[in-house]
Amino acid sequence: MIIIMKPHAPDESIQKVAHLIEENGLTVHLSKGEEVTIIGVVGDKTRLAGKNLELIPGVDRIVPVTESYKLSNLKFHPSPSVIQVGSTEIGPNNLTIMAGPCAIESREQLLTIARGVKKAGATILRGGAYKPRTSPYSFQGLEEEGLKYMKEASEETGLMTICEVISAASLETAVNYVDMIQIGARNMQNFQLLREAGRAGLPVLLKRGLSATIEEWLNAAEYIMAEGNPNVVLCERGIRTYETSTRNTLDISAVPVLKSKTHLPVIVDPSHASGVRAYVAPLAKSAVACGADGLMIEVHNNPACALSDGPQSLTLEQFQELTQKLAPYCELEGRKFS
Amino acid sequence: MIIIMKPHAPDESIQKVAHLIEENGLTVHLSKGEEVTIIGVVGDKTRLAGKNLELIPGVDRIVPVTESYKLSNLKFHPSPSVIQVGSTEIGPNNLTIMAGPCAIESREQLLTIARGVKKAGATILRGGAYKPRTSPYSFQGLEEEGLKYMKEASEETGLMTICEVISAASLETAVNYVDMIQIGARNMQNFQLLREAGRAGLPVLLKRGLSATIEEWLNAAEYIMAEGNPNVVLCERGIRTYETSTRNTLDISAVPVLKSKTHLPVIVDPSHASGVRAYVAPLAKSAVACGADGLMIEVHNNPACALSDGPQSLTLEQFQELTQKLAPYCELEGRKFS
Amino acid sequence: MIIIMKPHAPDESIQKVAHLIEENGLTVHLSKGEEVTIIGVVGDKTRLAGKNLELIPGVDRIVPVTESYKLSNLKFHPSPSVIQVGSTEIGPNNLTIMAGPCAIESREQLLTIARGVKKAGATILRGGAYKPRTSPYSFQGLEEEGLKYMKEASEETGLMTICEVISAASLETAVNYVDMIQIGARNMQNFQLLREAGRAGLPVLLKRGLSATIEEWLNAAEYIMAEGNPNVVLCERGIRTYETSTRNTLDISAVPVLKSKTHLPVIVDPSHASGVRAYVAPLAKSAVACGADGLMIEVHNNPACALSDGPQSLTLEQFQELTQKLAPYCELEGRKFS
Amino acid sequence: MIIIMKPHAPDESIQKVAHLIEENGLTVHLSKGEEVTIIGVVGDKTRLAGKNLELIPGVDRIVPVTESYKLSNLKFHPSPSVIQVGSTEIGPNNLTIMAGPCAIESREQLLTIARGVKKAGATILRGGAYKPRTSPYSFQGLEEEGLKYMKEASEETGLMTICEVISAASLETAVNYVDMIQIGARNMQNFQLLREAGRAGLPVLLKRGLSATIEEWLNAAEYIMAEGNPNVVLCERGIRTYETSTRNTLDISAVPVLKSKTHLPVIVDPSHASGVRAYVAPLAKSAVACGADGLMIEVHNNPACALSDGPQSLTLEQFQELTQKLAPYCELEGRKFS
């Protein structure tokens, strides 16, 4: 931690800050410039929690030196993690494709899509049973009934499954049916839910919040990991910006940025990021070329009648075509396509 | 709902769209331009849910005409609502001041602050018992113990009380101790929690999400109201932008915008919006001058030792000075200061 | 300047950085933590331009300590500046109102508006002769002809005048007709134009760029001032965010932030910030309550036929009503209303 | 153009709007819903300029149907344009690489870099002679002297050249030395400069403004094209968002979005978008995979001593390595790598 004093701050202010630091068992390094004095703090800074040095007259600002996330930090775990999801793996050696409908609508719908995405190369089936919808008057999901179809689809096709949870209750139910839990963008800082997901015993896909910084996102992962669950995968799904020609703005740079900060795998969701079917394929290729460990893609057997997110869903044919296009990009990236 | 076709879309596309609309019991109004055809849809558009007209070839885009929020909509409830919170009222005739510490830290701390803010003119005591913190390693709140101090502070001072809830469990506990429930920015789209707050029987303060649009915010209010709870107050607390000289960017225009769209009261939180103590007073005056129905302000008896948000908290003396400054602005706005 | 090294950076990296700093005549203050070493640099940091310390292996990041703007910096000029515009003053003792049409459309239009805004209390007449329009097919302004009407309006009413310039040529023409030059948002980082405005001999109103940080804005002012022109006034006119219910988002906090960083006067333009006539009055009051030194407001004698920005323009009656409402707020702020 | 009336707007309002439209020679299509009436306007909407229908009581809002940009619009020019830059082409069949230093610093520096990037596969040499810098105290470029080195480098290596211009004067000088003109992000809405670039007789690279929407960007291109210059190439270079781990946020989706709206070629600048050398290679691959027609990359023979943007510049070795990596991605995209 570094404390930057205001220009020409009086000596007594500097002494006061230094005293407070030393009083708490830390070491002070003073650096007096012609105008500005800088105070370096050496030692365990958590001892200064609730000291609010910013409020001491003469202090200009505090610059943190170390990150607040530890378990997800690449500095303390320098090789990339491989996360086991049932019988499949997410990590640096392969490209994991999660595909399926935004919302589970019926047994037939889900089984048809499951068979199709399996054939095209997906290894994990996605499907929403609990839908967080902007308006309370929109379709909210089949809940447990949908989860049963997920289990059936998994048993028939051998696909692993993932479902978003939105509350303690839905989490408790979902763990009985699926192989991976998803925390959606709107709940990225629902810290209570993160903690519960950390204790649920399944790997967790943590989507980035609508306007979360990468640092906040890694701190959210830390909530899950601090409960003893190291199996977290991050999913970039677009951030909110002023540009309206796409639903969100895919922050593709987040992939290499995360690779430099964390050992957790990173996947990309081009469907939610763009909200437009025609942009899914170029963005999917882009994500692979950028180093993503996987993709999450919305696929529907009949997008024109989808109860949610139809306009951004690929048909089964389009999805098959996409996975074929992706294969050589995976190869270039040294990933096994599966 | 209006459907805008692509330039020179073939007649058969137009017919297909028109047919689908009529098939669902709605009426079509065709408007053929030289280049572009526009299709107006008359009738109950919810019948078109899951029809995804965007996907019919030749359709360029869909323009919604009516808002999806109904209960909070000024159009259907054209006079401003007055929300009763215990013995006090939030609405167009007065300026409600909610004040108190970010986090409840001890019985003494809370009682000292409660007495001070009461004396200075606040009518509602705020205090966090469940703190949503970016890092899991930060102080997370006293939970039920803190709520007991809130009740005691209320009984002693006559102040009404408000506390943030972050889960079904904290909500269930909080309703036994406080007069108003707060849903924080990070949970604005925690739809499960919104529904539970709608059924909890207490008025709800709904803070704007970090990057929520005004429309999303009103839809979030709709979740609460749709459960039968009409007592919702909105709180603008700054939005996320690229500017870093304040913690968030106070969207002061949200006040008049909301006044033109909803009958619900609107208050402003200049403490969280700016994150800097010195900016709280000018922003508070600004909010009153703009038509806000109230303010939420962080006050601490000893900000230098506050466990959370010390740098933006006013001292009791500063808070007293602020309320004195605000009084004539209230008068100009025709509000009773209380 | 502070250099933060990566955790456990090798000693030779630290030595390399220290050597480079000392070699350039600066002093090094080393602060070795358990994990991280921090290097404080004392002396004139411009000597390190083009040294790119970030690229030395082991360096994590550089934290600047002092601002790059000097002439506009409150630290070096601690009392607020008063800017003389013809016979009127912009500064801490009064509230300056600039009003007039977005675009000058005709002699009659301008004279009618000038008389009206004068009567209502404005001291500076605004009017666009060179319009920067998003589309090349929109009305682009009357150019010099418009400026002649400005001069005539000034002579008749005694109002001072301001006009936006968009190029060296328009600047050269405008200085012959008006009392103050405006640099618009789209040209805030047109550094060539800033320099020319700095040499033009008239006071300059510098609008904030659409997505400029406050620091970039003050650096833009520095370009003007570095040419020998200290007469710069800043104008907050809304920034670009994701929210679409207003044209831009008025960053009202910019007023107190600027007051803490610069001695230059700050005015607010609620017309461009909101883009909606009904929001102009509440935002104008808000700006005064927040400490603004003035307002810029679009007024038109017949907004329904305005060639530019009609929907956000006040009628002359609405403007008169607004200035009457503003008067008591000015008084509360200790400003002479004029 | 569609006019949406307020719910239950009185008939006389509707008649007033309809009358105004017809009076101007356009046709009205009325669509009366149960709540809301919609008015479609057929005909040349420029006749309604300055009519401000929004201001007629009862009007809720106006929805434009057609884009304001015409010459750049894919609808009117449905096949992708190929832009000739000296002896090289930018378009759908190849991947054009523009590379070179941020700022030209000396003859030796530029010639060394030119030789290196030529060898590695670049076809256009970039180099800044006029630098728009945030602070007036930073290095501002060698101006005409730098352009002379560009010409010499071009003659020696056979590379085409591109240089940013920042004013009428710099444009006038630059056309004598280089093959392509660049309009930088900060000048994207310097409409005067756009017009002058449109008349200068050279192809123009138009960078996206820091917070420009895609629609504003295409309207800026329209300014150039409306002067008779069809040779415009667009360059995505990152937009301003709240995320600070990269200098800007590369809006990679802009590539497919532009491909669906315009026939102009689109290139990507990963150096400015990220501001971090380590992210340049993954983002460059990403851009190719997404359909970009080219890349602009900052390369320096000695980044540690670069006078501008050193931290994001590749060394000549790194650049060579990058072009080798890119080659198979180009092939997958069906582009000739050159």
Side-chain angles (χ1 to χ4, degrees):
Chain A
M1 185 192 278
I2 303 166
I3 297 143
I4 301 177
M5 303 299 292
K6 288 187 179 150
H8 313 297
D11 262 4
E12 59 186 300
S13 294
I14 298 168
Q15 289 316 317
K16 193 170 173 188
V17 173
H19 185 68
L20 185 60
I21 294 166
E22 288 169 346
E23 210 177 50
N24 285 281
L26 298 149
T27 307
V28 162
H29 284 238
L30 268 192
S31 183
K32 287 205 186 199
E34 278 152 49
E35 251 180 58
V36 169
T37 293
I38 292 157
I39 303 173
V41 181
V42 179
D44 174 12
K45 73 170 179 179
T46 63
R47 295 191 187 176
L48 292 172
K51 297 306 170 195
N52 300 318
L53 300 161
E54 297 94 325
L55 292 177
I56 298 177
V59 172
D60 192 56
R61 60 203 161 101
I62 309 287
V63 180
V65 169
T66 49
E67 292 90 0
S68 51
Y69 51 93
K70 303 293 175 198
L71 300 169
S72 58
N73 201 323
L74 189 67
K75 286 177 186 160
F76 307 116
H77 185 307
S79 64
S81 286
V82 174
I83 307 296
Q84 194 75 31
V85 178
S87 59
T88 189
E89 274 180 357
I90 307 179
N93 299 321
N94 55 345
L95 186 88
T96 301
I97 299 187
M98 307 183 179
C102 180
I104 305 166
E105 296 166 18
S106 71
R107 184 175 170 277
E108 290 64 33
Q109 174 236 29
L110 191 68
L111 288 176
T112 307
I113 295 172
R115 288 172 202 134
V117 301
K118 165 77 179 183
K119 200 178 124 204
T123 50
I124 301 184
L125 177 67
R126 62 149 289 154
Y130 305 90
K131 300 303 305 167
R133 301 298 295 272
T134 302
S135 162
Y137 311 123
S138 300
F139 174 62
Q140 309 271 330
L142 293 185
E143 309 196 347
E144 191 163 4
E145 186 191 338
L147 292 170
K148 287 180 183 166
Y149 304 149
M150 285 292 266
K151 198 169 180 93
E152 186 179 345
S154 173
E155 284 165 355
E156 185 191 312
T157 60
L159 288 165
M160 298 299 103
T161 54
I162 182 169
C163 180
E164 179 171 356
V165 297
I166 57 170
S167 61
S170 57
L171 172 61
E172 213 176 309
T173 307
V175 292
N176 300 317
Y177 296 100
V178 296
D179 302 295
M180 189 176 203
I181 287 301
Q182 177 183 316
I183 305 284
R186 285 168 187 75
N187 284 308
M188 193 203 86
Q189 290 195 317
N190 180 342
F191 300 116
Q192 192 58 29
L193 186 60
L194 294 175
R195 277 202 204 89
E196 284 154 2
R199 294 190 292 258
L202 284 184
V204 177
L205 183 75
L206 179 64
K207 288 200 151 188
R208 183 179 189 175
L210 273 78
S211 64
T213 61
I214 287 176
E215 207 180 323
E216 289 168 342
W217 192 7
L218 290 172
N219 271 296
E222 200 78 5
Y223 266 91
I224 300 169
M225 299 174 86
E227 298 293 325
N229 184 349
N231 300 311
V232 177
V233 176
L234 303 166
C235 178
E236 162 64 32
R237 42 77 72 203
I239 59 173
R240 181 153 277 179
T241 71
Y242 67 85
E243 175 59 59
T244 57
S245 64
T246 42
R247 188 200 269 194
N248 299 289
T249 297
L250 178 62
D251 181 9
I252 193 74
S253 316
V255 178
V257 172
L258 285 168
K259 294 287 175 195
S260 75
K261 291 185 187 291
T262 182
H263 53 91
L264 299 174
V266 182
I267 74 165
V268 169
D269 177 345
S271 305
H272 281 91
S274 68
V276 178
R277 185 200 279 178
Y279 305 152
V280 171
L283 295 179
K285 291 191 296 174
S286 192
V288 174
C290 208
D293 300 301
L295 293 166
M296 174 173 259
I297 292 172
E298 287 192 349
V299 179
H300 198 284
N301 56 330
N302 185 4
C305 294
L307 291 179
S308 176
D309 281 349
Q312 75 200 32
S313 298
L314 300 187
T315 62
L316 288 166
E317 293 69 34
Q318 288 165 336
F319 178 65
Q320 173 114 37
E321 202 185 320
L322 172 59
T323 55
Q324 279 163 0
K325 267 193 213 157
L326 287 174
Y329 289 89
C330 281
E331 210 171 311
L332 283 179
E333 292 291 321
R335 292 178 185 273
K336 238 184 62 207
F337 179 54
S338 71
Chain B
M1 185 192 278
I2 303 167
I3 298 142
I4 302 178
M5 303 299 292
K6 288 188 180 150
H8 313 297
D11 262 5
E12 60 186 298
S13 294
I14 297 169
Q15 290 316 317
K16 194 168 169 187
V17 174
H19 185 67
L20 185 60
I21 293 166
E22 288 170 347
E23 211 176 50
N24 285 280
L26 298 148
T27 307
V28 163
H29 284 237
L30 268 192
S31 183
K32 287 205 184 197
E34 278 154 48
E35 247 180 62
V36 169
T37 293
I38 292 156
I39 302 173
V41 180
V42 179
D44 174 13
K45 73 168 179 179
T46 62
R47 295 190 186 177
L48 293 171
K51 297 304 170 196
N52 299 320
L53 301 162
E54 297 93 325
L55 291 176
I56 299 178
V59 172
D60 192 57
R61 61 203 159 102
I62 308 287
V63 179
V65 168
T66 49
E67 292 90 0
S68 53
Y69 51 94
K70 304 294 174 198
L71 300 169
S72 58
N73 201 322
L74 190 67
K75 285 177 185 158
F76 306 115
H77 185 306
S79 63
S81 286
V82 174
I83 308 297
Q84 194 75 31
V85 179
S87 59
T88 189
E89 274 180 359
I90 307 179
N93 299 321
N94 55 346
L95 186 88
T96 301
I97 299 187
M98 306 182 180
C102 179
I104 305 167
E105 295 166 17
S106 71
R107 183 174 169 277
E108 291 62 36
Q109 174 237 26
L110 191 67
L111 287 176
T112 307
I113 296 172
R115 289 173 201 135
V117 300
K118 165 77 180 185
K119 199 178 124 203
T123 50
I124 300 183
L125 176 67
R126 64 149 288 153
Y130 304 91
K131 299 303 306 167
R133 301 298 295 272
T134 302
S135 162
Y137 310 123
S138 301
F139 173 62
Q140 310 270 331
L142 293 185
E143 309 196 347
E144 190 163 4
E145 186 191 339
L147 292 170
K148 287 179 183 166
Y149 304 149
M150 283 292 265
K151 199 171 181 92
E152 186 180 345
S154 172
E155 285 165 355
E156 184 191 313
T157 60
L159 287 167
M160 298 299 103
T161 53
I162 182 170
C163 179
E164 179 171 356
V165 296
I166 57 170
S167 61
S170 59
L171 172 61
E172 212 175 310
T173 307
V175 292
N176 300 316
Y177 296 99
V178 295
D179 303 294
M180 188 175 203
I181 288 301
Q182 177 182 316
I183 305 284
R186 285 168 188 76
N187 284 308
M188 193 203 86
Q189 291 196 316
N190 180 343
F191 299 118
Q192 193 57 31
L193 187 59
L194 294 175
R195 277 202 203 89
E196 283 154 2
R199 293 190 294 257
L202 284 184
V204 177
L205 184 75
L206 180 64
K207 287 201 152 188
R208 183 180 189 174
L210 273 79
S211 65
T213 62
I214 287 177
E215 206 180 323
E216 289 169 341
W217 193 7
L218 290 172
N219 271 297
E222 200 78 7
Y223 265 91
I224 300 169
M225 299 174 86
E227 298 293 323
N229 185 348
N231 299 312
V232 177
V233 175
L234 302 166
C235 178
E236 162 65 30
R237 43 75 73 203
I239 59 173
R240 181 152 278 178
T241 71
Y242 66 86
E243 176 59 58
T244 57
S245 64
T246 41
R247 188 200 270 195
N248 298 290
T249 297
L250 178 62
D251 180 9
I252 193 75
S253 316
V255 179
V257 171
L258 284 168
K259 294 287 175 193
S260 75
K261 291 185 186 292
T262 182
H263 54 90
L264 299 174
V266 183
I267 74 166
V268 168
D269 176 345
S271 305
H272 282 91
S274 68
V276 177
R277 184 200 279 177
Y279 305 151
V280 171
L283 295 179
K285 291 192 295 173
S286 192
V288 174
C290 209
D293 299 301
L295 294 166
M296 175 172 258
I297 291 172
E298 287 192 349
V299 179
H300 199 284
N301 56 330
N302 186 3
C305 294
L307 290 179
S308 176
D309 281 350
Q312 74 200 34
S313 298
L314 300 187
T315 62
L316 287 165
E317 294 68 34
Q318 289 165 334
F319 178 64
Q320 173 115 35
E321 201 185 321
L322 172 59
T323 55
Q324 280 163 0
K325 266 194 213 155
L326 288 174
Y329 289 89
C330 281
E331 209 171 309
L332 282 178
E333 292 292 319
R335 291 179 185 273
K336 238 183 63 209
F337 179 54
S338 69
Chain C
M1 184 191 278
I2 302 166
I3 297 143
I4 301 177
M5 303 298 292
K6 288 187 180 151
H8 313 296
D11 261 6
E12 60 185 299
S13 294
I14 297 169
Q15 290 316 318
K16 194 169 173 189
V17 174
H19 185 67
L20 185 60
I21 294 167
E22 289 170 346
E23 208 177 52
N24 285 281
L26 298 148
T27 306
V28 163
H29 284 237
L30 268 192
S31 183
K32 287 205 184 196
E34 278 153 49
E35 248 181 62
V36 169
T37 293
I38 292 157
I39 302 172
V41 181
V42 179
D44 175 13
K45 73 169 179 178
T46 62
R47 294 190 187 177
L48 292 172
K51 297 305 171 196
N52 299 319
L53 300 163
E54 297 92 325
L55 291 177
I56 298 177
V59 172
D60 191 57
R61 61 205 160 101
I62 309 288
V63 179
V65 169
T66 49
E67 292 90 1
S68 53
Y69 52 92
K70 304 292 175 198
L71 301 169
S72 57
N73 201 322
L74 189 68
K75 286 177 184 159
F76 307 114
H77 186 306
S79 63
S81 287
V82 174
I83 307 297
Q84 194 75 31
V85 179
S87 60
T88 189
E89 274 180 357
I90 307 179
N93 299 321
N94 55 345
L95 186 89
T96 302
I97 298 186
M98 307 184 179
C102 180
I104 305 166
E105 296 166 17
S106 71
R107 184 173 170 278
E108 290 64 34
Q109 175 236 27
L110 191 68
L111 287 175
T112 307
I113 295 172
R115 289 172 201 133
V117 301
K118 165 77 180 184
K119 200 179 124 204
T123 50
I124 301 183
L125 177 67
R126 64 149 287 154
Y130 304 91
K131 299 304 306 166
R133 301 299 295 271
T134 302
S135 163
Y137 309 123
S138 301
F139 174 63
Q140 310 269 331
L142 292 184
E143 309 196 347
E144 190 163 5
E145 186 191 339
L147 292 170
K148 288 179 182 166
Y149 304 150
M150 283 292 266
K151 199 171 180 91
E152 186 179 345
S154 173
E155 286 165 355
E156 185 192 312
T157 61
L159 288 166
M160 299 299 103
T161 54
I162 182 169
C163 179
E164 180 172 355
V165 298
I166 57 170
S167 61
S170 57
L171 172 61
E172 212 176 308
T173 307
V175 293
N176 301 315
Y177 295 100
V178 295
D179 303 294
M180 189 175 203
I181 287 301
Q182 177 183 315
I183 306 284
R186 284 169 187 75
N187 283 308
M188 192 203 86
Q189 290 195 317
N190 180 341
F191 300 117
Q192 193 58 30
L193 187 59
L194 294 175
R195 277 202 203 89
E196 284 155 2
R199 294 189 294 257
L202 284 184
V204 177
L205 183 76
L206 179 64
K207 288 201 152 188
R208 184 178 188 176
L210 273 80
S211 63
T213 62
I214 286 176
E215 206 180 324
E216 289 168 342
W217 193 7
L218 290 172
N219 271 298
E222 200 78 7
Y223 266 91
I224 300 169
M225 299 174 86
E227 298 293 324
N229 184 348
N231 299 311
V232 177
V233 175
L234 303 166
C235 179
E236 161 65 32
R237 43 76 72 204
I239 59 173
R240 181 152 279 178
T241 71
Y242 68 85
E243 176 59 59
T244 57
S245 63
T246 43
R247 189 200 270 195
N248 298 289
T249 297
L250 178 63
D251 181 9
I252 193 74
S253 316
V255 178
V257 171
L258 285 167
K259 294 288 175 193
S260 75
K261 290 184 186 293
T262 183
H263 54 90
L264 299 175
V266 182
I267 74 165
V268 169
D269 177 346
S271 305
H272 282 91
S274 67
V276 177
R277 185 201 277 177
Y279 305 152
V280 171
L283 295 179
K285 290 192 296 173
S286 191
V288 174
C290 208
D293 299 301
L295 293 165
M296 174 171 259
I297 292 172
E298 287 192 349
V299 179
H300 199 284
N301 56 330
N302 185 3
C305 294
L307 290 179
S308 176
D309 281 349
Q312 74 199 34
S313 297
L314 301 187
T315 62
L316 287 166
E317 294 69 33
Q318 288 165 335
F319 178 65
Q320 173 115 34
E321 201 186 320
L322 172 59
T323 56
Q324 281 163 0
K325 267 193 214 157
L326 287 174
Y329 289 88
C330 281
E331 210 171 309
L332 283 179
E333 292 290 320
R335 291 179 185 272
K336 239 185 62 207
F337 178 54
S338 71
Chain D
M1 185 192 281
I2 302 167
I3 297 142
I4 301 178
M5 303 299 293
K6 288 187 180 151
H8 313 296
D11 263 4
E12 60 186 299
S13 293
I14 298 169
Q15 289 316 317
K16 195 169 169 189
V17 175
H19 185 69
L20 185 61
I21 294 166
E22 288 170 347
E23 210 176 52
N24 285 281
L26 299 148
T27 307
V28 162
H29 284 238
L30 268 192
S31 182
K32 288 206 185 196
E34 277 153 49
E35 250 180 60
V36 169
T37 294
I38 292 157
I39 302 173
V41 180
V42 179
D44 174 13
K45 73 171 179 177
T46 63
R47 294 190 187 177
L48 293 172
K51 296 305 171 196
N52 300 318
L53 301 162
E54 296 93 325
L55 291 177
I56 298 178
V59 172
D60 191 58
R61 61 204 160 100
I62 309 287
V63 179
V65 169
T66 50
E67 292 90 0
S68 52
Y69 51 94
K70 305 292 174 200
L71 300 169
S72 58
N73 201 322
L74 190 68
K75 286 177 185 158
F76 308 114
H77 185 307
S79 63
S81 286
V82 174
I83 307 297
Q84 195 75 32
V85 179
S87 60
T88 189
E89 273 180 359
I90 307 179
N93 298 321
N94 55 345
L95 186 88
T96 302
I97 299 187
M98 308 182 179
C102 179
I104 305 166
E105 295 167 18
S106 71
R107 184 175 169 278
E108 291 62 35
Q109 174 236 27
L110 191 67
L111 287 176
T112 308
I113 296 172
R115 289 172 201 134
V117 301
K118 165 78 180 183
K119 200 179 123 205
T123 50
I124 301 183
L125 176 67
R126 63 149 288 151
Y130 304 92
K131 299 303 306 168
R133 300 298 295 270
T134 301
S135 162
Y137 310 123
S138 300
F139 175 63
Q140 310 270 329
L142 292 185
E143 310 196 346
E144 190 162 5
E145 187 192 338
L147 292 170
K148 288 179 182 165
Y149 303 149
M150 283 293 265
K151 198 171 180 93
E152 187 180 344
S154 172
E155 286 165 355
E156 185 192 311
T157 60
L159 287 166
M160 299 299 104
T161 54
I162 181 169
C163 179
E164 179 172 357
V165 297
I166 57 169
S167 61
S170 58
L171 172 61
E172 213 175 308
T173 307
V175 293
N176 300 316
Y177 296 99
V178 295
D179 302 293
M180 189 176 203
I181 287 301
Q182 176 184 317
I183 306 284
R186 286 168 187 75
N187 283 309
M188 193 203 86
Q189 290 195 317
N190 180 343
F191 299 118
Q192 192 58 30
L193 187 59
L194 294 175
R195 277 201 202 90
E196 283 155 2
R199 294 189 293 258
L202 283 184
V204 177
L205 183 74
L206 180 64
K207 287 202 152 186
R208 183 179 189 176
L210 273 79
S211 63
T213 62
I214 287 177
E215 206 181 324
E216 289 168 342
W217 192 8
L218 290 172
N219 270 297
E222 199 79 6
Y223 266 91
I224 301 168
M225 298 173 86
E227 298 293 324
N229 184 348
N231 299 312
V232 177
V233 175
L234 303 166
C235 178
E236 161 65 31
R237 43 76 72 203
I239 59 173
R240 180 152 278 177
T241 70
Y242 67 86
E243 176 59 58
T244 57
S245 64
T246 41
R247 188 200 269 195
N248 298 290
T249 297
L250 178 62
D251 180 10
I252 193 75
S253 317
V255 178
V257 171
L258 285 168
K259 293 289 173 193
S260 74
K261 290 184 187 292
T262 183
H263 54 90
L264 299 174
V266 182
I267 74 166
V268 169
D269 177 344
S271 305
H272 282 91
S274 67
V276 178
R277 185 201 278 177
Y279 305 152
V280 171
L283 294 180
K285 291 191 295 172
S286 192
V288 174
C290 208
D293 300 301
L295 293 165
M296 174 172 260
I297 291 172
E298 287 192 348
V299 179
H300 199 284
N301 56 332
N302 186 4
C305 294
L307 291 179
S308 176
D309 282 347
Q312 74 199 33
S313 297
L314 300 187
T315 62
L316 288 166
E317 294 68 34
Q318 289 165 333
F319 178 64
Q320 174 115 34
E321 201 185 321
L322 172 59
T323 55
Q324 281 163 358
K325 267 194 213 155
L326 287 174
Y329 289 88
C330 282
E331 209 171 310
L332 282 179
E333 292 291 319
R335 291 178 185 273
K336 237 184 61 208
F337 179 54
S338 71

